[in-house]
């Protein structure tokens, strides 16, 4: 995967001009946040073949060996609660277009296949801008919690996938949230809410226009959930 191979799929898309492809980096999000502080423009994309300190949500590590796609984009537009679910829908579309695989979405922004994680997304604010980081497992054997495009029988050219992800991120719109909800496996299920180490049980009723999960707790109280870990209750393992 090189800048040239990605551009061969991306054509003359404006974000191609500032695309950076690195053999290795600590974290594409960390690297891009530094560029953002030095004035990098909207649509700057950083891609790496591997990350030595890949970061996930809730302060977790994100294992990033060679064979995955690790991509971050800088968005200089007014902060929007909906960015994270819109990005999940963008990546879902890009994966479907380039590999044929039809992943589902685990609220708020993991893509899963057969109950295992295929992709994680980390959105971070940087001043007025946002950095959206995406990690997709392209190759590798599945294990307890993770799978890959290859393991699901849909291997694909990572340069093509990168180009599709870039294009979809540049076209994101709140109208996509209807499709997000159609593919979200969390909505309509009994779920476990884990926030600050406290576990509660609820039913996930819907997602509102801000991307918040609307739940009914065991005592009948309704709540809007913006963060934390939400897992489908009773299902074994990750989802
Ligand atoms: C999660 O699953 O908790 C989110 C994982 C996000 C991983 C991506 S890989 C590219 C970008 N750089 C990082 O350090 N993290 C994100």
């Amino acid at each position: 995967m090189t800048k040239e191979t990605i551009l061969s799929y991306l054509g003359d898309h404006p974000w191609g001009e500032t695309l950076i492809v690195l053999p290795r980096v600590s974290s594409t999000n960390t690297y891009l946040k530094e560029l953002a502080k030095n004035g990098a423009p909207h649509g700057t994309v950083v891609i790496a073949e591997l990350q030595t300190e890949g970061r996930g949500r809730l302060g977790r590590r994100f294992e990033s060996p060679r064979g995955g796609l690790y991509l971050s984009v800088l968005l200089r537009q007014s902060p929007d609660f909906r960015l994270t679910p819109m990005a999940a829908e963008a990546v879902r579309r890009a994966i479907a277009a380039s590999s044929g695989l039809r992943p589902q979405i685990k609220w708020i922004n993991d893509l899963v296949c057969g109950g295992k994680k295929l992709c994680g997304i980390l959105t971070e604010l940087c001043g007025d801008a946002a950095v959206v980081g995406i990690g997709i497992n392209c190759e590798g054997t599945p294990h307890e919690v993770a799978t890959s495009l290859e393991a699901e029988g849909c291997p694909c050219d990572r340069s093509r996938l990168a180009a599709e992800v870039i294009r979809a991120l540049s076209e994101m719109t709140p109208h996509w949230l209807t499709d997000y909800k159609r593919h979200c496996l969390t909505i309509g299920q009994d779920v476990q809410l884990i926030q600050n180490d406290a576990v509660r049980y609820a039913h996930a009723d819907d997602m509102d226009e801000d991307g918040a999960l609307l739940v009914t707790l065991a005592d009948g109280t309704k709540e809007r959930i913006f963060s934390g870990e939400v897992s489908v209750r009773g299902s074994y393992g990750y989802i």
Side-chain angles (χ1 to χ4, degrees), residues 128-143:
D128 289 343
V131 167
V132 180
I134 294 152
I136 304 174
N137 304 329
C138 299
E139 297 167 11
T141 42
H143 58 79

Side-chain angles (χ1 to χ4, degrees), residues 26-29 51 53-57 62 64 69-72 110 117 119-122 133-135:
S26 58
S27 151
T28 54
N29 266 32
Q51 298 184 122
E53 288 165 54
R55 294 184 292 106
R57 287 177 68 225
F62 186 79
S64 314
L69 178 64
Y70 312 109
L71 180 154
S72 299
D110 281 354
K117 182 159 168 167
C119 163
I121 302 177
L122 175 67
I134 294 152

